[in-house]
Amino acid sequence: MKQMKTAIIGLAAIIAASANASEPEFIRTAVTSTPAFETDFTVAAEKTVNAVVCIKSYTTRQQNPYGQGGYDPFGMFDFFFGPQGGQQQQRQPRQQNKKSEPVQSGLGSGVIISEDGYIVTNNHVVDGADKLEVLFNDNSSYDARIVGTDEASDLALIKVDAKGLTPIVFGDSESVKIGEWVLAVGNPFGFNSTVTAGIVSAKARSLGQNHKGNLSIESFIQTDAALNPGNSGGALVNLRGELIGVNSAIYSNTGSYAGFSFAIPTTIVKKVMADIRQYGTVQRAVLGAQVRELDSKIAKEKDITAVKSGLLIASVNDMSTAKELGLQEDDVITAVNGVSVANHAQLVEQLNKFRPGDKITVTYYRNNKKIEKTATLRNQNGNTSITKKGDFSELGCAFMKLTAETKQRLGISNGVQVKALKAGAIRDAGVKEGFIITAVNDMPVNSSEDVEQIYNNVMKTSDDFKALILYGVYPTGKKYTYAVNLAGE
């Protein structure tokens, strides 16, 4: 019997060898089968379902039934935040709510990240809510407060007064590979603790969606795990049950899952959550350069032969990290701290791991020669100051000095121009990008320092109503006056 078994194995080897010999050299046929990878999802599911919660938002104001950041009928990218039960609400006769009691306006998910009640979710889940209720997997519930939000990354940190919770374990989103199995855990259509499976379809994906004209930090993990309204803020985990992303958006023209979903990687989540807890706001570093992705056409035009991918420098800002690095137009960035960056989303993901004041090493090519330099990261104002909630930077823009030519053309002797406008008091007042402020509270301004000094003086007063009155003109010559409320709601 043993001899027969040996003979059969030998015959199989001869047949395999002769089969390979008859094929052309460039065709290689495997003789042995590829081992199957483990696809048991039970361990990951058991580790994560108790770390994912349901978040119900309530408001006394009339809301979009899909939430403040919900379904966009003019685009295909959907923040999957839905009303209770995920069903389209029928239009009902409006009734007067005498007590102005909050009514449920939306439903999403969140991930427990500490034993003492800190939970990460999406900004669009909590945006506009007057009350938040968190429902745990054991059916216990708590009211939650918002610790801080970051509109640019669509992340928020909330807190419940509870102890001994089961936090999720953070994984490394950078080590995730395309084709790797992942699980999505959340509350689609109000069905608590729902687990779906899929694979990583792509990494560092940008949706190109600058919602509401706001700054958008995008470097998504794309998966084909089924996600639907109510999954916003839920967990994307690997087969070890480690968090690799926070689910945020789907690609759909119907509002329901259509094959593609997107999660914010933990490289960004960890940094944003740490900043909000420590400073109350995100410390965001910028490179200070305008870039575009290198392709074969551009490479041929610029005679770039040393690299096939990277980020081509279009221009460099003064007082920036890029300037300190010595970057020039037509240089090609290929790596940050040894991590390859081939597109803008990958660069964004790397920069968002750091704060102003941190040092980074950038690899780039000039005239097809490799250069590697280290520099200190700065914020959008060109310095390394740490900002805190309520600081001058919370106005939500930068103030740039005017050129003599601009002053002469508009017939003004002084002023600063609003640049890099994002969420904050300035934009809330109705100010648009490019507005030139000539005076604040009847005092002429000619630099960012002038505006900051007036701001600080106002914030030091004991008045309940704090405001900046901005006088100025747009580049078109149209004059405007804006009142900026500094007292909050």
Side-chain angles (χ1 to χ4, degrees):
M1 186 69 181
K2 185 177 180 181
Q3 291 177 345
M4 183 180 293
K5 185 176 181 181
T6 304
I8 292 172
I9 294 173
L11 179 61
I14 294 170
I15 293 172
S18 62
N20 286 338
S22 64
E23 293 175 346
E25 290 185 1
F26 60 86
I27 295 178
R28 301 288 180 92
T29 302
V31 177
T32 57
S33 60
T34 303
F37 290 95
E38 180 63 53
T39 55
D40 181 5
F41 307 135
T42 58
V43 173
E46 289 172 358
K47 286 184 176 180
T48 55
V49 288
N50 291 320
V52 177
V53 299
C54 177
I55 300 174
K56 297 179 181 180
S57 66
Y58 297 83
T59 182
T60 56
R61 299 184 290 267
Q62 189 175 6
Q63 296 280 333
N64 179 334
Y66 282 90
Q68 192 86 347
Y71 177 61
D72 175 10
F74 302 106
M76 285 190 173
F77 290 102
D78 229 1
F79 289 111
F80 35 91
F81 178 48
Q84 184 175 13
Q87 300 298 320
Q88 183 79 25
Q89 293 179 343
Q90 299 297 319
R91 189 179 298 275
Q92 300 289 342
R94 192 173 180 182
Q95 298 179 352
Q96 182 69 25
N97 189 345
K98 294 180 180 180
K99 295 182 180 180
S100 297
E101 294 179 354
V103 294
Q104 188 176 338
S105 59
L107 180 144
S109 303
V111 184
I112 302 170
I113 60 173
S114 73
E115 293 183 0
D116 57 348
Y118 283 96
I119 296 168
V120 61
T121 185
N122 287 141
N123 175 64
H124 70 263
V125 169
V126 303
D127 189 22
D130 296 316
K131 176 187 174 182
L132 294 173
E133 181 186 3
V134 176
L135 179 67
F136 289 80
N137 196 38
D138 62 1
N139 288 326
S140 62
S141 65
Y142 296 84
D143 287 341
R145 62 180 175 87
I146 298 174
V147 178
T149 62
D150 181 45
E151 188 177 19
S153 62
D154 190 32
L155 289 169
L157 181 65
I158 64 175
K159 175 78 165 57
V160 297
D161 292 329
K163 301 290 184 181
L165 301 181
T166 305
I168 203 161
V169 175
F170 273 77
D172 180 11
S173 58
E174 286 191 345
S175 66
V176 174
K177 296 179 180 179
I178 295 173
E180 181 177 337
W181 279 105
V182 289
L183 298 184
V185 188
N187 305 280
F189 299 116
F191 294 106
N192 290 353
S193 304
T194 297
V195 179
T196 56
I199 63 167
V200 174
S201 307
K203 293 177 65 178
R205 182 74 80 194
S206 174
L207 305 185
Q209 291 293 100
N210 208 350
H211 289 279
K212 305 181 192 176
N214 303 337
L215 174 67
S216 183
I217 304 300
E218 295 185 342
S219 183
F220 292 107
I221 298 172
Q222 179 183 325
T223 80
D224 65 353
L227 297 171
N228 283 290
N231 270 115
S232 276
L236 185 72
V237 301
N238 57 27
L239 292 192
R240 292 183 295 276
E242 300 167 342
L243 185 73
I244 58 170
V246 171
N247 297 317
S248 181
I250 58 176
Y251 183 89
S252 174
N253 55 11
T254 64
S256 296
Y257 175 71
F260 300 98
S261 51
F262 302 88
I264 305 162
T266 52
T267 49
I268 293 177
V269 175
K270 286 191 290 187
K271 164 66 167 45
V272 171
M273 293 302 101
D275 280 357
I276 289 177
R277 284 192 68 171
Q278 185 172 353
Y279 305 105
T281 187
V282 179
Q283 310 300 313
R284 188 150 280 128
V286 297
L287 184 63
Q290 287 68 51
V291 300
R292 56 176 175 164
E293 294 176 17
L294 182 68
D295 58 28
S296 58
K297 183 179 179 181
I298 296 173
K300 187 175 181 180
E301 289 175 357
K302 303 289 185 180
D303 193 28
I304 298 171
T305 58
V307 290
K308 294 182 178 180
S309 63
L311 294 161
L312 185 74
I313 300 295
S315 62
V316 175
N317 300 340
D318 292 333
M319 298 175 60
S320 67
T321 305
K323 195 80 171 180
E324 184 182 342
L325 287 165
L327 288 168
Q328 300 176 9
E329 184 179 351
D330 291 343
D331 288 348
V332 181
I333 297 175
T334 58
V336 174
N337 284 0
V339 179
S340 297
V341 289
N343 57 49
H344 187 261
Q346 290 175 338
L347 177 63
V348 165
E349 184 173 351
Q350 293 308 310
L351 292 178
N352 273 270
K353 293 162 57 177
F354 304 100
R355 300 184 177 111
D358 291 341
K359 290 187 179 295
I360 60 168
T361 300
V362 175
T363 304
Y364 61 94
Y365 284 77
R366 177 180 300 158
N367 298 325
N368 294 312
K369 293 182 179 179
K370 184 179 179 179
I371 301 172
E372 197 169 82
K373 288 189 176 181
T374 301
T376 302
L377 283 168
R378 294 171 170 81
N379 57 32
Q380 64 179 14
N381 295 320
N383 59 58
T384 59
S385 300
I386 293 294
T387 59
K388 293 188 177 181
K389 195 171 185 179
D391 281 359
F392 173 64
S393 63
E394 286 298 297
L395 289 176
C397 67
F399 301 97
M400 307 298 291
K401 290 186 177 181
L402 298 180
T403 63
E405 181 184 353
T406 300
K407 293 178 182 178
Q408 183 178 6
R409 178 173 59 83
L410 294 173
I412 56 178
S413 58
N414 62 279
V416 292
Q417 190 168 35
V418 173
K419 291 288 187 182
L421 187 63
K422 62 178 183 179
I426 293 288
R427 195 185 69 189
D428 291 343
V431 177
K432 302 294 189 295
E433 181 90 13
F435 181 63
I436 296 168
I437 303 171
T438 56
V440 179
N441 292 2
D442 293 322
M443 289 177 278
V445 293
N446 206 35
S447 66
S448 178
E449 289 74 18
D450 292 341
V451 181
E452 184 172 9
Q453 183 176 354
I454 297 170
Y455 169 87
N456 289 334
N457 290 338
V458 170
M459 295 304 289
K460 288 176 183 177
T461 66
S462 58
D463 297 339
D464 290 334
F465 180 72
K466 296 179 175 65
L468 299 178
I469 308 301
L470 311 182
Y471 304 91
V473 59
Y474 281 97
T476 58
K478 185 71 173 178
K479 294 182 179 179
Y480 274 87
T481 301
Y482 295 98
V484 180
N485 180 20
L486 303 177
E489 295 183 359

